[in-house]
Every structure is written in C-alpha cells, then in structure tokens.
Amino acid sequence: MKLVPRYTDIAENFAIEDFPASVASPQLLLWNESLAKQFNINIADDLRANIFSGNEQQAIPAVALGYSGHQFGHFSPRLGDGRAHLLGAISDDENQLWDIQLKGSGATPYSRGGDGRCALGPAIREYVMSEAMHALGVKTTRCLAVVGSGETVYRSLPQAGAIVTRVATSHIRVGSFQYLATQGDVEGLKNLADLAIERHYPEIIDTGSQRYLAFLGAVIKNQVKLVVSWMRVGFIHGVMNTDNTLVSGETIDYGPCAMMNSFDFDTVFSSIDKQGRYAFGNQPNIANWNCARLAESLIPLISDDDEQAVSLMTPFINSFAEQFNTQFTAMWAQKLGLSGAHASDDELIAELLTLLKGSELDYTDTFDALTESLNGEVLMPDVLTQWVIKWKSRTDENSYKKMRTANPRVIPRNHIIEKILAEYVNTGSSELLGSFMGVLSDPYFTNKNLAEYRALLQSDKNYKTFCGT
Ligand code: AMP
Ligand code: MG
C-alpha cells in the first residue's frame, strides 16, 4: 500500500503526528474487495488485520487532524480526531487521491479524556450504511475494512472493540476551517481552502481573486445536492454538526443515522436529538446553517474589510434555499414520474405527503408500489385510491423509468441493520449481510425476492440510535 502524506503542510498543529495504538488480537471481520481493487491494494489475507488495526506501522507517520465544531448549535473550538488516525492517501486507477483513516485506533492529542476506541457495533454500522448509501448513489465516504481488536471497550456495557478503515476524497470539514479561523490563522485557512479547491473543485482554480467566493458557492451547491439525495432515499443523518460536514459534499459519520420508514418530516431517531434539530425535514435548514458557519470562517480570505466580505458572501448563503427548493421540487417530480411541469403539481405532491403521514405509510415501499403500478397490477393502500387517479393522469410512457431510477426498492432498513449488528456482536459474522449486500448491488431495479427487506408491520416508533462512540 503506497501512502502519501496529507495535511502536513496546512498549518502548525493542524495535523499532529501520532501513532495508532497496538491491539491485542486483531481479526479481519469485513473486507471491501471491490474498493481494494480500485486502489490496487494487494495485501495477503493474513496481513490485512495487522495493517488495518494499526498494529503495523506504515512507511510514513500517521496524523490526527484538528477541527472545531458546532455540536447541536454549540461551538467547541477544539474537537479533532480523538479516536482516528489518518495513515495518508492512496491513489486509484485514475490518479485520484483518497484518504485512508483508521477510526477506533486509540487515543490522540485530541481525545479530551476519551478512550480513542470504537465498539464493534458502530464500526459495522459505519461499514454497512456507507456501502448501502454508495449503492444508492449517494455521495459518501466508504469503508475498506473492519478489524476486531480482540479487546473490550467500556461503554454503558462492556463491548467488543473494533477499528474501521474509512476512505474519503478528503477529511476537510466545515469544522476544519472553523479551527483555523478561531486561531486567526489566515495562512492556514488559505492553504486549506487551496487544498480543498485543488481536490474537489479544480474547475474554480482559475477564478482569480474570486476563488474563495467560488469555493463557498461550490460547497453550497454540493451540500444542496447531498441533502436532496438523502431525502430522496429517506436518510436521516442524525448528527449534522459542522465537524461532521465535509466540504467535498460526501456523507460522513454514520453514528446515530437511520432510515425513515413511515413518512413524516419530523422523524428523529437519535436519542440525544431532543429538540429535533436534525429531524428528517430539518436537514436542509441545518445544511444551510452549516454553510453559513463555513462562510464566517472564510471572511479573512474574501476581503480585508469584514463587512464587505459578509456582503459578498450573503447572496451565496441566501441562494441555498432557492437552490434547494428547485431541486427538491424536481426530486418529487422524478419520484412521481411527472410529465412536464404543471401549476397543480405542488398540490398533488403535498396531498400525497399528507396522506402518507396521516396513514403512516412506508416511504420506500409506497413509492416503489407507485412505480410498479405503472408496470402492472399492484396492491395499493385504499387511502391512496382517489389520489392515484389524479396522479396517473400526470404520467406518460417515460414515467416508469424516471421513477425507477429515483425510488429504491430496497434500503438499509433499521431492523435489518440492527439484525446484522447483533449477528456480528454475537458470532463475529453475519449471513444476513451477504444476502443484503446482494440485493443492494442493484437497489433500484432488483427483481430478487424483497419480502425480507420490506417495512415491518410495526413501525419504528420506538427505535433509538446512539452516537457511535
Ligand atoms: P462524533 O460524535 O463521532 O462526531 O465525535 C465527536 C468528537 O468526539 C470528535 O472529536 C471525536 O474524535 C470525539 N470522540 C468520539 N468518540 C471518542 C472516543 N471514544 N475517544 C476519544 N474521542 C472521541
Ligand atoms: Mg464526527
């Protein structure tokens, strides 16, 4: 594995050299063969556990990155990688660089008293959820491996420990900019923005003095796109803090995430999200808010005059809502296969959502049934009968294909994920994971028997998720 250093020249104390702690008895539990192939990683089976537990030191030093974060709206100036080590970056077949990071690999200078460890369940959740999101076509960090540590981590109950290997086009967070801005490190901010532009937005490199404004605009555009794709598949991130928001527009941090089953914009599963800040339908507001925090951090790069910087950036921040509304409307039009655009479409969509919410209908299964109803006889809930008549008059011969590419047949349902985690925790492997990954390889068109992966009759009303520590 040929690693190149990352982030070491951004600013002093931005990337701190620090080595993963050795673990007692590393055991490879999950290995992402297709991702390994993409990076030409040819490591013998028996060496993988040692490398991706952090037990084997690499040719270049690992680093822990500093970042700040607004957590549930409250600012923490110094968070950082408290349980993660970035080994470096690796190049794929197209010369694109990818960060390779171990999570759960021991305490770092940013641990703030934490143990630097990760329990097995959350490690498996990160692997399965990120692979599912990737299969669904949502931009996301990926996972290369999960290695059991053979050690116990102590949470409310003792649990098996694990290390997950995360792969991302970068680990540059909104909180990374906040970290440098808080320290008044303008040079560091510039270095970080330049790196982010080079990695993620090469098309704006030549925008001269406007490049940092263009960067803000590009991040906003990608955040809008990301949240729309989350909402299309029913994903609730659960902890959209600024430290969990990547400027690349990839989904990161699968701690308390969950999938919405019965449709309701107010759906919240995270046990610590008491106010519903990160509810399903509030995700666009929060992504917008996070972009405003990025803008604040960029002020010194935009103008020497703070007021001028703010007035230059405000239109970009304000454009979030309009961009989102346009794409959100387009998303529903695609999910319903609408033919052209009609003045009455907003009403048609709103009426359906009210029916879904009122009857607690499953989001995924209902849109799948609507899609398949254009292809043959499908049993539909009675409450939808009148609405379906109206809707069908708005479809045409292209509707089925449009809908099929927007409405997944299978998603990583909460009860499936919990079952997979329980199998791993109890036996160290999961048969269900294999068959589930099989249907997920083609989540929009699969014709496999999906009975096992449909919504459960009892909804997820009492389902709770926890931060993956
Ligand atoms: P997260 O909730 O995973 O986004 O983490 C928020 C912050 O807490 C980050 O700075 C993490 O590095 C830190 N953190 C989470 N769990 C641990 C842990 N077990 N040990 C040390 N730091 C942690
Ligand atoms: Mg995080």
Side-chain angles (χ1 to χ4, degrees):
M1 188 166 60
K2 188 166 172 0
L3 291 161
V4 294
R6 304 288 317 264
Y7 312 113
T8 44
D9 49 4
I10 298 296
E12 213 177 316
N13 289 333
F14 182 77
I16 301 179
E17 255 182 47
D18 192 72
F19 293 96
S22 286
V23 296
S25 159
Q27 190 197 354
L28 187 69
L29 298 176
L30 277 167
W31 178 250
N32 192 334
E33 188 56 38
S34 72
L35 206 54
K37 275 211 180 96
Q38 196 180 329
F39 306 125
N40 302 315
I41 295 180
N42 301 308
I43 299 170
D45 294 14
D46 55 338
L47 300 179
R48 290 172 188 163
N50 247 349
I51 293 175
F52 296 103
S53 60
N55 272 15
E56 188 174 301
Q57 202 171 309
Q58 300 300 303
I60 59 168
V63 294
L65 300 181
Y67 52 84
S68 308
H70 273 95
Q71 301 178 298
F72 289 89
H74 302 287
F75 188 63
S76 296
R78 189 181 159 93
L79 293 172
D81 290 332
R83 54 167 172 163
H85 291 86
L86 191 104
L87 299 183
I90 196 166
S91 181
D92 68 10
D93 286 343
E94 275 133 38
N95 287 327
Q96 151 98 50
L97 284 178
W98 297 80
D99 287 4
I100 305 285
Q101 191 195 52
L102 303 182
K103 184 170 166 183
S105 45
T108 77
Y110 295 108
S111 295
R112 297 171 292 139
D115 64 359
R117 292 300 185 189
C118 181
L120 174 60
I124 302 283
R125 178 190 293 273
E126 171 137 357
Y127 185 103
V128 182
M129 284 303 297
S130 61
E131 283 310 295
M133 292 289 269
H134 175 71
L136 288 165
V138 178
K139 270 183 91 173
T140 178
T141 61
R142 308 275 308 270
C143 285
L144 178 65
V146 174
V147 179
S149 63
E151 295 178 357
T152 302
V153 296
Y154 296 91
R155 299 293 180 259
S156 50
L157 292 170
Q159 293 179 35
I163 297 102
V164 52
T165 303
R166 181 158 63 193
V167 176
T169 55
S170 86
H171 280 84
I172 308 176
R173 308 154 192 261
V174 168
S176 315
F177 285 93
Q178 292 180 296
Y179 182 71
L180 295 167
T182 304
Q183 297 169 38
D185 184 350
V186 179
E187 196 55 36
L189 273 177
K190 190 172 168 309
N191 291 338
L192 189 64
D194 287 341
L195 178 69
I197 292 169
E198 181 195 313
R199 293 236 43 77
H200 306 300
Y201 305 107
E203 67 281 6
I204 63 172
I205 282 179
D206 294 328
T207 41
S209 61
Q210 297 291 304
R211 70 197 307 225
Y212 302 116
L213 266 184
F215 170 60
L216 176 65
V219 173
I220 289 173
K221 198 168 150 198
N222 268 355
Q223 284 297 314
V224 169
K225 227 164 124 183
L226 182 66
V227 172
V228 171
S229 62
W230 286 355
M231 295 182 80
R232 178 173 57 77
V233 301
F235 177 75
I236 305 167
H237 183 283
V239 63
M240 290 174 70
N241 296 335
T242 54
D243 50 303
N244 294 332
T245 303
L246 292 178
V247 298
S248 65
E250 284 167 9
T251 312
I252 189 170
D253 219 319
Y254 287 90
C257 67
M259 302 303 291
M260 180 173 67
N261 280 353
S262 52
F263 175 83
D264 186 347
F265 279 126
D266 295 335
T267 310
V268 175
F269 291 115
S270 167
S271 53
I272 55 170
D273 190 3
K274 305 276 186 233
Q275 318 278 328
R277 179 179 169 90
Y278 301 137
F280 177 68
N282 207 31
Q283 298 186 114
N285 294 331
I286 296 297
N288 192 349
W289 192 87
N290 289 345
C291 288
R293 305 290 76 76
L294 174 65
E296 282 167 2
S297 309
L298 296 178
I299 284 176
L301 301 187
I302 305 288
S303 169
D304 293 338
D305 174 352
D306 286 8
E307 261 179 45
Q308 194 195 11
V310 170
S311 71
L312 284 168
M313 287 193 285
T314 301
F316 283 85
I317 297 299
N318 289 346
S319 77
F320 188 108
E322 194 183 320
Q323 288 186 54
F324 176 78
N325 288 337
T326 306
Q327 287 184 42
F328 201 46
T329 305
M331 177 198 94
W332 293 117
Q334 202 196 344
K335 281 179 84 68
L336 292 173
L338 300 185
S339 174
H342 273 204
S344 59
D345 287 348
D346 284 352
E347 205 182 307
L348 186 76
I349 294 162
E351 206 182 312
L352 172 65
L353 299 185
T354 305
L355 290 167
L356 292 186
K357 182 176 172 184
S359 299
E360 298 185 3
L361 295 180
D362 184 76
Y363 185 54
T364 305
D365 289 350
T366 307
F367 277 93
D368 183 44
L370 290 171
T371 310
E372 290 306 312
S373 77
L374 297 181
N375 208 18
E377 204 60 37
V378 170
L379 199 61
M380 203 78 76
D382 286 346
V383 285
L384 295 184
T385 309
Q386 291 304 316
W387 181 87
V388 164
I389 295 168
K390 268 194 277 185
W391 161 65
K392 283 214 165 147
S393 72
R394 290 283 295 108
T395 60
D396 62 23
E397 70 281 6
N398 298 318
S399 298
Y400 177 74
K401 193 155 172 238
K402 254 193 241 169
M403 292 177 74
R404 201 55 293 164
T405 51
N407 298 320
R409 309 210 71 192
V410 56
I411 56 163
R413 289 197 181 276
N414 305 328
H415 70 276
I416 298 289
I417 296 294
E418 291 302 329
K419 221 164 153 182
I420 292 171
L421 301 196
E423 287 183 9
Y424 262 101
V425 169
N426 294 330
T427 70
S429 67
S430 163
E431 258 181 46
L432 177 60
L433 177 63
S435 55
F436 180 57
M437 282 301 181
V439 293
L440 261 180
S441 64
D442 187 16
Y444 294 92
F445 287 89
T446 183
N447 276 325
K448 292 196 175 137
N449 181 358
L450 297 175
E452 197 180 352
Y453 307 111
R454 296 287 185 196
L456 290 178
L457 280 180
Q458 71 274 30
S459 73
D460 279 336
K461 277 224 173 82
N462 297 319
Y463 185 59
K464 284 269 168 282
T465 59
F466 302 89
C467 267
T469 54

